[in-house]
Amino acid sequence: MKNRLGRTLNTPLSPPYSESSAHHEIQLHVNDEVVTARVESRLLLTDFLRHRIGLTGTHVGCEQGTCGACTILLDGKAIRSCLMLAVQANGRTIRTVEGLAVSDEKLSSIQKAFHEQHGMQCGFCTPGFLMSLSGLAEQGGPKNDAELDDHLCGNICRCTGYVNIRRAARQAMDLDAVESDE
Amino acid sequence: MKPAPFDYVAAQSVDHALTLLAGEVEAKLIAGGQSLMPLLNMRLGRTDLLIDIGHLEELNHIRIDEEGRLVIGASVTQADVQNHPDVLAGWPMLAAGIGEIGHPQIRNRGTICGSLAHNDPAAELPAIAMALDAVAEIHSVNGTRTVPVEDLFIGPFMTALAEDELLKQVVFPPQQEGAGWSFKEFATRPGDFATVGVAAQIALLGENVSDVKIVVFGVAGSALRLDATEASILGRPAERAIDIAVSELEMEIKPAEDIHSSHLFRKELAVELLKESIAEALERCL
Ligand SMILES: Cc1cc2nc3c(=O)[nH]c(=O)nc-3n(C[C@H](O)[C@H](O)[C@H](O)COP(=O)(O)OP(=O)(O)OC[C@H]3O[C@@H](n4cnc5c(N)ncnc54)[C@H](O)[C@@H]3O)c2cc1C
Ligand code: FES
Ligand code: FES
C-alpha cells in the first residue's frame, strides 16, 4: 500500500527509525536531584524541563537562540535550552530558575536584587536574565560594566527598557561601587 | 517550532562518527548546535540522523604543537578559545573576533570548527581564520586531507567539505613577530550578526609595508581576501597605506543588496572599517 507521498506504508515514514537511536534512556542532575527518563531524540531540553518534569520557570520565546528566555545553567555555564536536545543532557548537571532560591523564604542574591530594584514588569524574560547572571556569577562575576552588558545583551526584554534590570544586575554583581555609564 | 523526527547517536569516537557519516542514512554532524538547532527547530533543515561530536574528549584540545602552531579540536567551544591564555598571547585577533560572536550564552556551546563548517557569510570566524592563514584538517573513512581554510569556503553556507567528511581540527600557524592586527565590525546591535567586518594584519620594514593580509566579510557570498588591495599597499609607505587601500577597495568589492542593507551602505561600511582597521593594525606594529 502506498500513501499520498508514494512511500510504501509498511516501511516507516521518515526518518528510518532504529529502535536503538530513536529513543534514549537518560539520567541527569536537575537542581540537585537525579532525574531519569526515556526521551525521543528530537525532544528539546526546554520541553523536557517544562512538560516532562514540570519545571515551567524556564520560558520559551523564540526557539532559535535569540531571546534568552530559556537560558539555564549546564554544568555551571549559561546556555540556551532551546538549542539543546534532552538526550544531550544525559550525564550533565542542570540548574533552572527553580533551583536558585536557597529556600522558600530565602532568595538568591541575584533574585533579591531584581526584587529590590523591581527589575521586571511582566516577568516573562526574568528567569532567563536570572540564569544568565547566575552563570556570570559562577565564572567569578564581571570585571566591569562592559562585561556585564555583554551578558545582559544575550537576553531580550520587551517591557522594561532594561534600566531596572541593569540596576539590579549591578547591585547583585557588586558593581555599585564602580561608576556607572548608565 | 519543533524539529521533524530524527535519530540521534552520541558518537563514541571520531572513527565511530566517520563510520556513521559514511553510512546509508542521511546524516548530519552536530557540535555546538548553535546554528544547526535553529535550522532544525524552524524546519528550514532536516536530517534522518544526528551524529553528536560535541562531547568528544578526543576533539576537546587547544594546544600548541612542536612547530608553535595553535591546534583547536572540533568540540572546543568559542568561549574556551576566547579566554585561553595561549590564544590571547599568540593569536589575539582570534580572541577579539570571538568576542563579537552572538552572546556569551551562545559562545558557551558554539564551536570554532562548527562555525567554519557552517560558513555563514556574516560570520566572524571564517574571515579571521583566513586572515590568520589557518589550515583545516579534514577526516573521512577514506583518509585525511589538509586544506587551507581559504579553499574551504566556496559560497554562502557552502564549503568544500564532502557529506562524509568531518573537520577534525583547525591549525593556526604562529603569527609574524611584530606584526600589527585589527578586527573591526559593524552590527546593528551588539551581539547581532555583523553587516560588514574587516580582519587585517600588517607588518612593517622600516617605513614600508612588508606584509599585509586583509579579509572582509559581509560584502560577498563568503569571506573575501582582498588580493588587489593587499598588493596595492605592499612595499608602499605606511603613512600612505590607508589612502591607497581605500581607492583600491572601492574597485575590488561589489557588495550585493539584501534585506539587511543596501549595497551602497555595505560599501561605505567596508571603506570606513578598512580605514579604521589599517590605522589600528599600524599602531600595533612593533
Ligand atoms: C542567537 C545567536 C547569535 C549568533 N550570532 C553569531 C554571530 O554574531 N557570529 C557568528 O559567526 N555566529 C553566530 N552564531 C552562530 C554560532 O557562532 C554557531 O556556534 C556557529 O555558527 C556554529 O557552530 P556550532 O558548533 O554551534 O555548530 P553546529 O550548529 O553544531 O553545526 C553547524 C553546521 O556545521 C556542521 N558541523 C559542525 N561541526 C562540524 C565538524 N567538526 N565537521 C564538519 N561539519 C561540522 C554541522 O553539520 C552543521 O551543518 C549565533 C547563533 C545564535 C543562536
Ligand atoms: S527560546 Fe531559547 S533563546 Fe528564545
Ligand atoms: S519584563 Fe516583560 S519581557 Fe521583560
Side-chain angles (χ1 to χ4, degrees):
Chain A
M1 199 178 127
K2 300 252 178 160
N3 72 356
R4 277 189 302 137
L5 297 171
R7 289 186 196 241
T8 308
L9 277 188
N10 56 8
T11 62
L13 287 171
S14 67
Y17 275 128
S18 53
E19 191 38 44
S20 60
S21 53
H23 292 87
H24 310 265
E25 305 290 339
I26 60 169
Q27 185 174 81
L28 58 155
H29 281 84
V30 182
N31 300 336
D32 303 319
E33 278 179 46
V34 178
V35 176
T36 51
R38 184 176 159 79
V39 296
E40 196 188 343
S41 294
R42 64 165 161 165
L43 182 67
L44 301 180
L45 182 55
T46 3
D47 294 326
F48 175 76
L49 294 171
R50 289 175 57 82
H51 306 310
R52 291 289 292 277
I53 59 176
L55 297 178
T56 53
T58 300
H59 290 171
V60 181
C62 66
E63 291 184 328
Q64 48 176 296
T66 20
C67 75
C70 68
T71 307
I72 59 158
L73 298 190
L74 174 74
D75 298 329
K77 290 181 182 161
I79 63 123
R80 304 292 201 231
S81 60
C82 70
L83 299 186
M84 195 167 158
L85 300 166
V87 54
Q88 292 181 296
N90 188 24
R92 312 292 289 264
T93 298
I94 280 169
R95 188 161 299 278
T96 68
V97 71
E98 289 88 347
L100 283 187
V102 187
S103 67
D104 279 354
E105 290 78 41
K106 198 165 179 322
L107 298 175
S108 76
S109 57
I110 299 170
Q111 287 172 309
K112 204 158 148 274
F114 269 69
H115 177 73
E116 285 170 8
Q117 299 294 340
H118 192 57
M120 66 162 82
Q121 285 178 28
C122 79
F124 186 83
C125 66
T126 314
F129 275 102
L130 295 175
M131 298 319 291
S132 284
L133 291 168
S134 300
L136 179 57
E138 291 224 8
Q139 284 167 39
K143 288 183 283 300
N144 47 41
D145 276 336
E147 205 180 317
L148 176 66
D149 290 346
D150 195 26
H151 282 72
L152 291 177
C153 277
N155 293 77
I156 291 177
C157 173
R158 298 308 298 267
C159 301
T160 65
Y162 303 96
V163 174
N164 286 3
I165 291 175
R166 193 162 181 268
R167 252 182 219 141
R170 294 186 84 250
Q171 175 183 322
M173 298 289 153
D174 284 333
L175 282 174
D176 272 349
V178 185
E179 202 176 309
S180 170
D181 51 15
E182 220 172 68
Chain B
M1 277 168 68
K2 313 295 175 194
F6 50 74
D7 285 355
Y8 168 94
V9 175
Q12 285 144 23
S13 64
V14 171
D15 284 342
H16 183 210
L18 294 178
T19 310
L20 291 169
L21 262 185
E24 294 276 290
V25 180
E26 194 203 307
K28 270 249 157 242
L29 294 169
I30 181 164
Q34 304 300 289
S35 293
L36 188 55
M37 286 308 301
L39 292 174
L40 293 175
N41 286 357
M42 295 299 123
R43 300 207 181 189
L44 295 168
R46 61 183 298 165
T47 184
D48 290 340
L49 171 65
L50 266 192
I51 306 166
D52 199 346
I53 56 168
H55 59 284
L56 286 179
E57 272 311 307
E58 194 183 344
L59 296 172
N60 194 13
H61 51 269
I62 309 178
R63 61 168 176 258
I64 312 279
D65 71 6
E66 322 75 62
E67 289 161 50
R69 302 177 306 175
L70 172 70
V71 184
I72 299 176
S75 66
V76 176
T77 65
Q78 294 155 2
D80 286 340
V81 176
Q82 186 186 0
N83 302 315
H84 198 282
D86 289 341
V87 177
L88 290 165
W91 293 267
M93 190 204 289
L94 181 57
I98 291 172
E100 304 287 334
I101 299 177
H103 317 288
Q105 300 89 336
I106 304 300
R107 304 194 291 264
N108 278 340
R109 294 279 295 160
T111 64
I112 303 289
C113 290
S115 177
L116 300 179
H118 191 60
N119 195 24
D120 190 310
E124 287 82 2
L125 283 168
I128 292 168
M130 269 167 74
L132 298 178
D133 281 331
V135 173
E137 194 186 302
I138 299 167
H139 288 234
S140 76
V141 284
N142 300 318
T144 304
R145 61 185 181 119
T146 48
V147 177
V149 288
E150 202 145 358
D151 299 336
L152 199 61
F153 310 126
I154 56 179
F157 304 103
M158 283 183 286
T159 68
L161 286 167
E163 283 190 354
D164 64 344
E165 286 184 322
L166 179 150
L167 173 53
K168 188 177 173 193
Q169 55 193 26
V170 56
V171 182
F172 296 83
Q175 298 303 299
Q176 197 179 330
E177 291 273 338
W181 63 276
S182 175
F183 182 82
K184 299 260 174 205
E185 71 172 43
F186 174 85
T188 315
R189 290 160 302 188
D192 279 1
F193 272 99
T195 313
V196 176
V198 175
Q201 182 125 269
I202 299 178
L204 295 178
L205 193 66
E207 300 297 304
N208 295 334
V209 174
S210 61
D211 193 21
V212 52
K213 279 171 219 141
I214 306 173
V215 179
V216 255
F217 62 100
V219 299
S222 45
L224 185 71
R225 179 94 184 244
L226 296 180
D227 294 318
T229 304
E230 287 177 2
S232 73
I233 60 173
L234 190 64
R236 306 294 293 274
E239 57 177 27
R240 296 208 45 220
I242 292 179
D243 291 341
I244 301 171
V246 165
S247 56
E248 192 64 42
L249 175 82
E250 289 187 330
M251 293 184 286
E252 191 169 11
I253 60 166
K254 293 176 189 61
E257 191 145 294
D258 61 25
I259 53 163
H260 302 294
S261 85
S262 71
H263 66 282
L264 287 175
F265 185 49
R266 280 185 198 275
K267 198 159 199 172
E268 212 173 305
L269 283 174
V271 167
E272 290 309 316
L273 293 169
L274 182 74
K275 284 185 194 165
E276 286 177 22
S277 58
I278 292 180
E280 188 174 59
L282 287 172
E283 258 169 47
R284 284 181 175 147
C285 281
L286 295 179

